[in-house]
Amino acid sequence: MSMYRELHRGAARATVLRTVGTRERRSHLTAPRVPTVGIDIGGTKVMAGVVDADGTILEKVRTETPDKSKSPKVVEDTITELVLDLSDRHDVHAVGIGAAGWVDADRNRVLFAPHLSWRNEPLRDRLAGRLAVPVMVDNDANTAAWAEWRFGAGRGEDHLVMITLGTGIGGAILEDGQVKRGKYGVAGEFGHMQVVPGGHRCPCGNRGCWEQYSSGNALVREARELAAAESPVAYGIIDRVGGNIPEITGPLITELARSGDAMCVELLQDIGQWLGVGIANLAAALDPSCFVIGGGVSAADDLLIGPARDAFRRHLTGRGYRPEARIVKAQLGPEAGMVGAADLARLVARRFRRANRRRVERYERYARAGRG
Protein backbone atom coordinates (compact mmCIF):
# COMPACT_ATOMS: atom_id res chain seq x y z
CA MET A 1 0.00 0.00 0.00
CA SER A 2 1.36 3.42 -0.95
CA MET A 3 2.28 6.03 1.65
CA TYR A 4 -0.51 8.27 0.29
CA ARG A 5 -3.11 5.58 0.79
CA GLU A 6 -1.84 4.92 4.33
CA LEU A 7 -2.10 8.61 5.19
CA HIS A 8 -5.55 8.84 3.61
CA ARG A 9 -6.79 5.84 5.58
CA GLY A 10 -5.43 7.29 8.82
CA ALA A 11 -7.10 10.63 8.13
CA ALA A 12 -10.41 8.92 7.33
CA ARG A 13 -10.29 6.93 10.57
CA ALA A 14 -9.54 10.07 12.58
CA THR A 15 -12.50 11.83 10.90
CA VAL A 16 -14.85 8.99 11.80
CA LEU A 17 -13.62 8.87 15.38
CA ARG A 18 -14.10 12.62 15.79
CA THR A 19 -17.75 12.26 14.74
CA VAL A 20 -18.50 9.65 17.40
CA GLY A 21 -21.09 11.12 19.78
CA THR A 22 -20.80 10.93 23.53
CA ARG A 23 -24.17 9.25 24.11
CA GLU A 24 -24.15 5.54 24.90
CA ARG A 25 -27.85 5.45 25.81
CA ARG A 26 -28.34 1.70 25.89
CA SER A 27 -26.67 1.35 22.49
CA HIS A 28 -24.60 -1.48 23.99
CA LEU A 29 -27.61 -3.69 23.19
CA THR A 30 -26.89 -3.35 19.46
CA ALA A 31 -23.10 -3.23 19.67
CA PRO A 32 -21.28 -6.00 17.78
CA ARG A 33 -20.46 -9.01 19.93
CA VAL A 34 -16.78 -8.91 19.08
CA PRO A 35 -13.69 -9.06 21.31
CA THR A 36 -12.08 -5.75 22.20
CA VAL A 37 -9.07 -4.72 24.27
CA GLY A 38 -9.41 -2.69 27.46
CA ILE A 39 -6.44 -0.74 28.84
CA ASP A 40 -6.16 0.53 32.42
CA ILE A 41 -3.39 3.12 32.84
CA GLY A 42 -2.10 3.91 36.32
CA GLY A 43 0.86 5.88 37.53
CA THR A 44 3.40 3.04 37.25
CA LYS A 45 1.59 0.19 35.47
CA VAL A 46 -0.41 -0.53 32.36
CA MET A 47 -2.90 -3.43 32.38
CA ALA A 48 -4.47 -4.70 29.16
CA GLY A 49 -7.01 -7.43 28.52
CA VAL A 50 -9.10 -8.94 25.76
CA VAL A 51 -12.75 -8.85 26.83
CA ASP A 52 -15.75 -10.48 25.15
CA ALA A 53 -19.27 -9.07 24.84
CA ASP A 54 -20.33 -10.66 28.16
CA GLY A 55 -17.57 -8.92 30.11
CA THR A 56 -15.42 -12.05 30.38
CA ILE A 57 -11.66 -11.46 30.32
CA LEU A 58 -10.18 -13.84 27.75
CA GLU A 59 -6.57 -12.88 28.41
CA LYS A 60 -4.88 -10.25 30.56
CA VAL A 61 -1.34 -8.85 30.54
CA ARG A 62 0.26 -6.28 32.79
CA THR A 63 3.50 -4.37 32.70
CA GLU A 64 5.20 -1.50 34.43
CA THR A 65 6.03 1.52 32.36
CA PRO A 66 9.72 1.11 31.38
CA ASP A 67 11.96 2.46 34.12
CA LYS A 68 8.76 3.84 35.65
CA SER A 69 8.95 6.60 33.05
CA LYS A 70 6.09 9.09 33.07
CA SER A 71 6.78 10.28 29.51
CA PRO A 72 3.65 10.26 27.27
CA LYS A 73 5.65 8.72 24.42
CA VAL A 74 6.91 5.85 26.59
CA VAL A 75 3.41 5.07 27.88
CA GLU A 76 1.99 5.20 24.33
CA ASP A 77 4.75 2.80 23.17
CA THR A 78 3.86 0.44 26.03
CA ILE A 79 0.14 0.49 25.15
CA THR A 80 0.91 -0.18 21.49
CA GLU A 81 3.16 -3.14 22.34
CA LEU A 82 0.53 -4.68 24.61
CA VAL A 83 -2.23 -4.32 22.01
CA LEU A 84 -0.10 -5.79 19.24
CA ASP A 85 0.90 -8.68 21.52
CA LEU A 86 -2.74 -9.48 22.31
CA SER A 87 -3.70 -9.09 18.63
CA ASP A 88 -1.34 -11.93 17.77
CA ARG A 89 -3.66 -14.32 19.61
CA HIS A 90 -7.07 -12.61 19.39
CA ASP A 91 -9.20 -10.96 16.70
CA VAL A 92 -9.31 -7.48 18.24
CA HIS A 93 -11.87 -5.01 16.80
CA ALA A 94 -11.31 -1.91 18.97
CA VAL A 95 -9.27 -0.60 21.90
CA GLY A 96 -10.66 1.22 24.92
CA ILE A 97 -8.45 3.11 27.38
CA GLY A 98 -9.29 4.08 30.94
CA ALA A 99 -6.86 6.80 32.04
CA ALA A 100 -6.35 8.11 35.56
CA GLY A 101 -6.85 11.75 34.73
CA TRP A 102 -9.15 14.31 33.19
CA VAL A 103 -10.32 13.41 29.69
CA ASP A 104 -12.02 16.03 27.53
CA ALA A 105 -15.67 15.74 26.50
CA ASP A 106 -14.69 14.47 23.02
CA ARG A 107 -12.75 11.65 24.68
CA ASN A 108 -9.61 12.43 22.73
CA ARG A 109 -7.29 14.46 24.94
CA VAL A 110 -6.07 13.71 28.44
CA LEU A 111 -6.23 17.23 29.87
CA PHE A 112 -4.34 16.37 33.04
CA ALA A 113 -3.06 13.21 34.70
CA PRO A 114 -1.78 13.48 38.28
CA HIS A 115 0.71 10.60 38.00
CA LEU A 116 1.86 11.01 34.38
CA SER A 117 3.30 13.89 32.36
CA TRP A 118 0.13 14.27 30.31
CA ARG A 119 -1.03 17.83 29.75
CA ASN A 120 -3.60 18.26 26.97
CA GLU A 121 -2.29 15.07 25.38
CA PRO A 122 -4.17 13.90 22.19
CA LEU A 123 -3.95 10.27 23.29
CA ARG A 124 -6.77 8.87 21.14
CA ASP A 125 -5.57 10.32 17.84
CA ARG A 126 -1.96 9.40 18.50
CA LEU A 127 -2.81 5.78 19.26
CA ALA A 128 -5.37 5.55 16.44
CA GLY A 129 -2.57 6.54 14.09
CA ARG A 130 -0.45 3.61 15.31
CA LEU A 131 -3.07 0.86 15.69
CA ALA A 132 -5.15 -0.77 12.97
CA VAL A 133 -8.39 -0.49 14.99
CA PRO A 134 -10.44 2.43 16.38
CA VAL A 135 -9.57 3.76 19.84
CA MET A 136 -11.74 5.12 22.68
CA VAL A 137 -10.34 7.07 25.67
CA ASP A 138 -12.17 7.85 28.91
CA ASN A 139 -11.52 8.51 32.59
CA ASP A 140 -10.82 5.30 34.52
CA ALA A 141 -13.63 5.91 37.05
CA ASN A 142 -16.09 6.32 34.18
CA THR A 143 -14.99 3.03 32.64
CA ALA A 144 -15.21 1.26 36.02
CA ALA A 145 -18.72 2.61 36.60
CA TRP A 146 -19.77 1.45 33.15
CA ALA A 147 -18.45 -2.06 33.87
CA GLU A 148 -20.28 -2.26 37.21
CA TRP A 149 -23.49 -1.09 35.53
CA ARG A 150 -23.18 -3.57 32.68
CA PHE A 151 -21.80 -6.62 34.46
CA GLY A 152 -21.45 -5.99 38.20
CA ALA A 153 -23.08 -4.52 41.29
CA GLY A 154 -25.00 -1.83 39.38
CA ARG A 155 -26.90 -4.04 36.94
CA GLY A 156 -30.50 -2.94 36.52
CA GLU A 157 -29.95 0.52 38.01
CA ASP A 158 -31.10 3.58 36.05
CA HIS A 159 -29.30 6.16 38.22
CA LEU A 160 -25.96 5.02 39.58
CA VAL A 161 -23.07 6.82 41.25
CA MET A 162 -19.74 5.07 41.67
CA ILE A 163 -17.21 6.04 44.34
CA THR A 164 -13.66 4.72 43.89
CA LEU A 165 -11.66 4.72 47.12
CA GLY A 166 -7.94 4.38 46.54
CA THR A 167 -5.15 6.71 47.53
CA GLY A 168 -7.73 9.42 46.82
CA ILE A 169 -11.40 9.44 45.82
CA GLY A 170 -12.65 9.28 42.26
CA GLY A 171 -16.13 8.78 40.95
CA ALA A 172 -18.58 8.66 38.09
CA ILE A 173 -22.25 9.30 37.36
CA LEU A 174 -24.35 7.08 35.12
CA GLU A 175 -27.98 7.84 34.20
CA ASP A 176 -30.21 5.90 31.83
CA GLY A 177 -27.32 4.08 30.23
CA GLN A 178 -25.22 7.21 29.73
CA VAL A 179 -22.05 8.27 31.51
CA LYS A 180 -22.46 11.90 32.57
CA ARG A 181 -19.15 13.55 31.81
CA GLY A 182 -20.12 17.20 32.19
CA LYS A 183 -19.61 20.03 29.73
CA TYR A 184 -15.82 19.73 29.77
CA GLY A 185 -15.49 16.01 30.50
CA VAL A 186 -14.30 16.26 34.11
CA ALA A 187 -17.46 15.46 36.11
CA GLY A 188 -17.17 13.03 39.01
CA GLU A 189 -14.19 14.51 40.87
CA PHE A 190 -16.04 13.95 44.13
CA GLY A 191 -12.88 13.64 46.21
CA HIS A 192 -12.31 17.37 45.99
CA MET A 193 -15.61 18.49 47.45
CA GLN A 194 -14.78 20.55 50.53
CA VAL A 195 -16.20 18.91 53.65
CA VAL A 196 -14.08 20.60 56.35
CA PRO A 197 -13.35 24.29 55.70
CA GLY A 198 -9.73 24.96 56.66
CA GLY A 199 -9.09 21.26 57.17
CA HIS A 200 -6.21 19.04 56.03
CA ARG A 201 -4.23 20.36 53.09
CA CYS A 202 -4.92 18.41 49.88
CA PRO A 203 -2.40 17.94 47.04
CA CYS A 204 -4.92 19.67 44.77
CA GLY A 205 -4.07 22.90 46.58
CA ASN A 206 -7.25 23.27 48.66
CA ARG A 207 -7.99 22.39 52.27
CA GLY A 208 -10.57 20.04 53.72
CA CYS A 209 -11.25 17.95 50.60
CA TRP A 210 -13.37 14.84 51.13
CA GLU A 211 -10.52 12.52 50.15
CA GLN A 212 -8.43 13.86 53.03
CA TYR A 213 -10.92 12.20 55.40
CA SER A 214 -12.15 9.14 53.53
CA SER A 215 -9.49 7.45 51.39
CA GLY A 216 -6.51 5.15 51.56
CA ASN A 217 -4.21 8.09 52.19
CA ALA A 218 -6.37 9.30 55.07
CA LEU A 219 -6.45 5.82 56.60
CA VAL A 220 -2.67 5.40 56.45
CA ARG A 221 -2.01 8.97 57.65
CA GLU A 222 -4.08 8.47 60.79
CA ALA A 223 -2.49 5.10 61.58
CA ARG A 224 1.05 6.42 61.11
CA GLU A 225 0.37 9.48 63.27
CA LEU A 226 -0.85 7.29 66.13
CA ALA A 227 2.13 4.97 65.72
CA ALA A 228 4.60 7.88 65.60
CA ALA A 229 3.08 9.22 68.83
CA GLU A 230 3.54 5.74 70.36
CA SER A 231 -0.11 5.71 71.33
CA PRO A 232 -1.02 2.66 73.43
CA VAL A 233 -3.78 1.83 70.94
CA ALA A 234 -1.13 1.52 68.20
CA TYR A 235 1.08 -1.08 69.92
CA GLY A 236 -0.35 -3.90 67.79
CA ILE A 237 0.50 -2.32 64.46
CA ILE A 238 3.87 -1.01 65.75
CA ASP A 239 4.84 -4.57 66.68
CA ARG A 240 3.66 -5.86 63.33
CA VAL A 241 5.95 -3.52 61.37
CA GLY A 242 8.82 -3.81 63.86
CA GLY A 243 8.66 -0.12 64.63
CA ASN A 244 9.19 0.82 60.96
CA ILE A 245 6.27 3.23 60.60
CA PRO A 246 6.58 3.77 56.80
CA GLU A 247 5.69 0.09 56.38
CA ILE A 248 2.16 0.77 57.64
CA THR A 249 -0.14 0.42 54.60
CA GLY A 250 -3.83 0.32 53.90
CA PRO A 251 -3.95 -3.43 53.21
CA LEU A 252 -2.08 -4.09 56.49
CA ILE A 253 -4.59 -1.97 58.44
CA THR A 254 -7.46 -3.89 56.83
CA GLU A 255 -5.80 -7.22 57.63
CA LEU A 256 -5.32 -6.29 61.30
CA ALA A 257 -8.88 -4.95 61.53
CA ARG A 258 -10.22 -8.27 60.29
CA SER A 259 -8.20 -10.04 62.99
CA GLY A 260 -9.77 -7.80 65.64
CA ASP A 261 -7.19 -5.04 66.20
CA ALA A 262 -9.27 -2.36 67.94
CA MET A 263 -7.37 0.66 66.57
CA CYS A 264 -7.58 -0.56 62.98
CA VAL A 265 -11.29 -1.30 63.32
CA GLU A 266 -11.83 2.21 64.68
CA LEU A 267 -9.84 3.83 61.88
CA LEU A 268 -11.91 2.05 59.24
CA GLN A 269 -15.06 3.13 61.07
CA ASP A 270 -13.86 6.73 60.93
CA ILE A 271 -13.14 6.47 57.21
CA GLY A 272 -16.53 4.82 56.68
CA GLN A 273 -18.36 7.55 58.57
CA TRP A 274 -16.77 10.25 56.44
CA LEU A 275 -17.67 8.18 53.40
CA GLY A 276 -21.30 8.17 54.50
CA VAL A 277 -21.30 11.96 55.01
CA GLY A 278 -20.00 12.53 51.49
CA ILE A 279 -22.48 10.08 50.00
CA ALA A 280 -25.34 11.89 51.75
CA ASN A 281 -24.14 15.14 50.15
CA LEU A 282 -24.07 13.46 46.74
CA ALA A 283 -27.56 12.06 47.30
CA ALA A 284 -28.83 15.58 48.01
CA ALA A 285 -27.35 16.78 44.70
CA LEU A 286 -27.87 13.78 42.40
CA ASP A 287 -30.55 11.54 43.99
CA PRO A 288 -29.31 8.21 42.52
CA SER A 289 -30.85 4.84 43.26
CA CYS A 290 -27.52 3.17 44.01
CA PHE A 291 -23.99 4.00 45.16
CA VAL A 292 -21.33 1.47 44.16
CA ILE A 293 -18.16 1.58 46.29
CA GLY A 294 -15.02 0.39 44.52
CA GLY A 295 -11.26 0.89 44.70
CA GLY A 296 -8.67 -0.77 46.92
CA VAL A 297 -10.05 0.49 50.24
CA SER A 298 -13.41 -1.19 49.52
CA ALA A 299 -11.67 -4.52 50.25
CA ALA A 300 -12.46 -3.79 53.91
CA ASP A 301 -16.08 -4.76 53.11
CA ASP A 302 -18.52 -4.19 55.99
CA LEU A 303 -15.76 -2.84 58.26
CA LEU A 304 -16.00 0.21 55.98
CA ILE A 305 -19.38 0.03 54.24
CA GLY A 306 -21.38 -0.71 57.42
CA PRO A 307 -20.32 2.56 59.10
CA ALA A 308 -20.84 4.36 55.79
CA ARG A 309 -24.45 3.17 55.60
CA ASP A 310 -25.09 4.29 59.21
CA ALA A 311 -23.61 7.75 58.62
CA PHE A 312 -25.49 8.09 55.34
CA ARG A 313 -28.81 7.48 57.06
CA ARG A 314 -27.96 10.00 59.81
CA HIS A 315 -26.96 12.77 57.41
CA LEU A 316 -29.34 12.23 54.48
CA THR A 317 -31.41 15.32 53.74
CA GLY A 318 -35.11 14.56 54.29
CA ARG A 319 -34.28 11.30 56.07
CA GLY A 320 -37.40 9.35 56.94
CA TYR A 321 -39.41 11.00 54.16
CA ARG A 322 -37.65 9.81 51.03
CA PRO A 323 -36.45 6.52 49.52
CA GLU A 324 -32.84 5.71 50.37
CA ALA A 325 -30.28 4.77 47.76
CA ARG A 326 -28.59 1.39 48.12
CA ILE A 327 -24.90 1.40 49.05
CA VAL A 328 -23.13 -1.70 47.71
CA LYS A 329 -19.59 -2.91 47.18
CA ALA A 330 -18.31 -3.15 43.61
CA GLN A 331 -18.09 -6.70 42.26
CA LEU A 332 -15.48 -6.57 39.50
CA GLY A 333 -12.44 -5.62 41.55
CA PRO A 334 -9.32 -4.04 40.03
CA GLU A 335 -10.28 -5.22 36.52
CA ALA A 336 -13.42 -3.03 36.40
CA GLY A 337 -11.77 -0.13 34.59
CA MET A 338 -10.25 -2.44 32.00
CA VAL A 339 -13.52 -4.32 31.39
CA GLY A 340 -15.51 -1.09 31.11
CA ALA A 341 -13.01 0.44 28.68
CA ALA A 342 -13.22 -2.62 26.47
CA ASP A 343 -17.03 -2.56 26.51
CA LEU A 344 -17.21 1.15 25.68
CA ALA A 345 -14.78 0.54 22.83
CA ARG A 346 -17.26 -1.95 21.40
CA LEU A 347 -19.64 0.96 20.77
CA VAL A 348 -16.91 2.80 18.87
CA ALA A 349 -16.24 -0.35 16.85
CA ARG A 350 -19.91 -0.50 15.83
CA ARG A 351 -20.08 3.14 14.80
CA PHE A 352 -16.75 2.98 13.03
CA ARG A 353 -17.74 -0.13 11.09
CA ARG A 354 -21.10 1.40 10.13
CA ALA A 355 -19.50 4.63 8.90
CA ASN A 356 -16.81 2.68 7.07
CA ARG A 357 -19.46 0.51 5.41
CA ARG A 358 -21.29 3.62 4.19
CA ARG A 359 -18.03 4.97 2.77
CA VAL A 360 -17.41 1.71 0.91
CA GLU A 361 -20.97 1.70 -0.45
CA ARG A 362 -20.59 5.27 -1.71
CA TYR A 363 -17.29 4.37 -3.38
CA GLU A 364 -18.89 1.37 -5.08
CA ARG A 365 -21.80 3.48 -6.34
CA TYR A 366 -19.40 6.05 -7.76
CA ALA A 367 -17.36 3.29 -9.35
CA ARG A 368 -20.46 1.76 -10.98
CA ALA A 369 -21.58 5.19 -12.19
CA GLY A 370 -18.13 5.78 -13.68
CA ARG A 371 -18.22 2.45 -15.56
CA GLY A 372 -21.70 3.27 -16.88
Side-chain angles (χ1 to χ4, degrees):
M1 181 178 292
S2 70
M3 179 65 69
Y4 171 80
R5 192 173 301 173
E6 278 285 349
L7 291 172
H8 178 75
R9 187 176 72 171
R13 171 174 289 119
T15 299
V16 172
L17 289 171
R18 279 195 293 271
T19 63
V20 172
T22 60
R23 289 179 174 267
E24 294 91 10
R25 195 180 301 277
R26 301 198 183 281
S27 54
H28 65 280
L29 297 173
T30 57
R33 294 183 62 81
V34 294
T36 51
V37 169
I39 308 282
D40 184 22
I41 306 173
T44 58
K45 57 86 180 173
V46 179
M47 181 167 60
V50 180
V51 182
D52 69 14
D54 298 315
T56 302
I57 300 171
L58 305 179
E59 183 181 352
K60 179 177 68 173
V61 292
R62 173 176 174 155
T63 184
E64 293 185 348
T65 53
D67 301 320
K68 297 194 182 300
S69 170
K70 299 180 186 300
S71 159
K73 176 66 164 56
V74 170
V75 178
E76 288 164 15
D77 290 344
T78 302
I79 293 170
T80 301
E81 291 169 6
L82 292 176
V83 172
L84 294 178
D85 177 44
L86 291 169
S87 298
D88 286 340
R89 298 178 296 282
H90 302 273
D91 183 20
V92 174
H93 289 251
V95 174
I97 296 170
W102 292 353
V103 178
D104 70 359
D106 292 331
R107 284 181 284 171
N108 176 27
R109 293 178 175 272
V110 181
L111 302 175
F112 170 78
H115 306 297
L116 297 167
S117 301
W118 283 344
R119 304 294 184 266
N120 202 29
E121 186 74 16
L123 182 61
R124 184 189 68 193
D125 286 350
R126 286 192 173 173
L127 287 173
R130 300 178 65 176
L131 301 171
V133 292
V135 176
M136 186 283 310
V137 178
D138 209 337
N139 170 265
D140 57 350
N142 288 342
T143 62
W146 180 266
E148 291 292 341
W149 176 68
R150 286 275 283 126
F151 309 112
R155 282 177 293 183
E157 298 289 349
D158 290 331
H159 293 77
L160 177 149
V161 170
M162 184 161 186
I163 310 293
T164 55
L165 295 179
T167 55
I169 296 180
I173 307 162
L174 202 147
E175 294 183 5
D176 296 326
Q178 179 183 353
V179 177
K180 310 295 282 187
R181 298 180 175 84
K183 174 66 176 178
Y184 305 107
V186 297
E189 292 295 329
F190 305 137
H192 299 289
M193 300 186 303
Q194 190 181 60
V195 296
V196 180
H200 290 295
R201 177 71 74 180
C202 180
C204 78
N206 293 329
R207 288 186 178 274
C209 291
W210 185 25
E211 69 175 39
Q212 292 304 304
Y213 299 88
S214 184
S215 68
N217 276 351
L219 181 67
V220 172
R221 181 192 67 227
E222 295 296 314
R224 288 180 178 177
E225 286 181 0
L226 286 167
E230 297 185 351
S231 168
V233 300
Y235 286 166
I237 201 165
I238 292 172
D239 287 344
R240 179 63 182 269
V241 298
N244 190 0
I245 293 174
E247 290 186 6
I248 295 175
T249 63
L252 175 60
I253 296 168
T254 299
E255 177 191 335
L256 291 175
R258 284 180 174 150
S259 66
D261 183 281
M263 183 197 78
C264 293
V265 169
E266 183 176 337
L267 290 178
L268 282 168
Q269 287 175 341
D270 290 345
I271 297 297
Q273 286 169 6
W274 277 112
L275 176 61
V277 170
I279 289 175
N281 289 339
L282 290 173
L286 302 173
D287 191 31
S289 59
C290 179
F291 288 94
V292 177
I293 313 301
V297 183
S298 69
D301 297 316
D302 277 345
L303 289 168
L304 173 83
I305 295 178
R309 290 189 180 116
D310 293 340
F312 171 70
R313 295 187 185 105
R314 289 198 307 273
H315 292 90
L316 180 64
T317 302
R319 50 194 173 276
Y321 296 96
R322 61 181 287 179
E324 291 184 6
R326 295 191 306 126
I327 300 175
V328 297
K329 182 189 173 185
Q331 293 180 356
L332 301 182
E335 285 84 18
M338 182 184 72
V339 171
D343 199 59
L344 284 166
R346 197 168 287 109
L347 307 177
V348 179
R350 173 175 62 81
R351 291 162 182 159
F352 178 83
R353 286 162 49 157
R354 182 182 296 166
N356 190 56
R357 186 169 63 248
R358 286 197 295 266
R359 257 199 325 274
V360 171
E361 289 170 351
R362 282 198 301 271
Y363 174 81
E364 290 176 345
R365 284 199 301 272
Y366 294 149
R368 287 196 297 270
R371 287 195 299 269

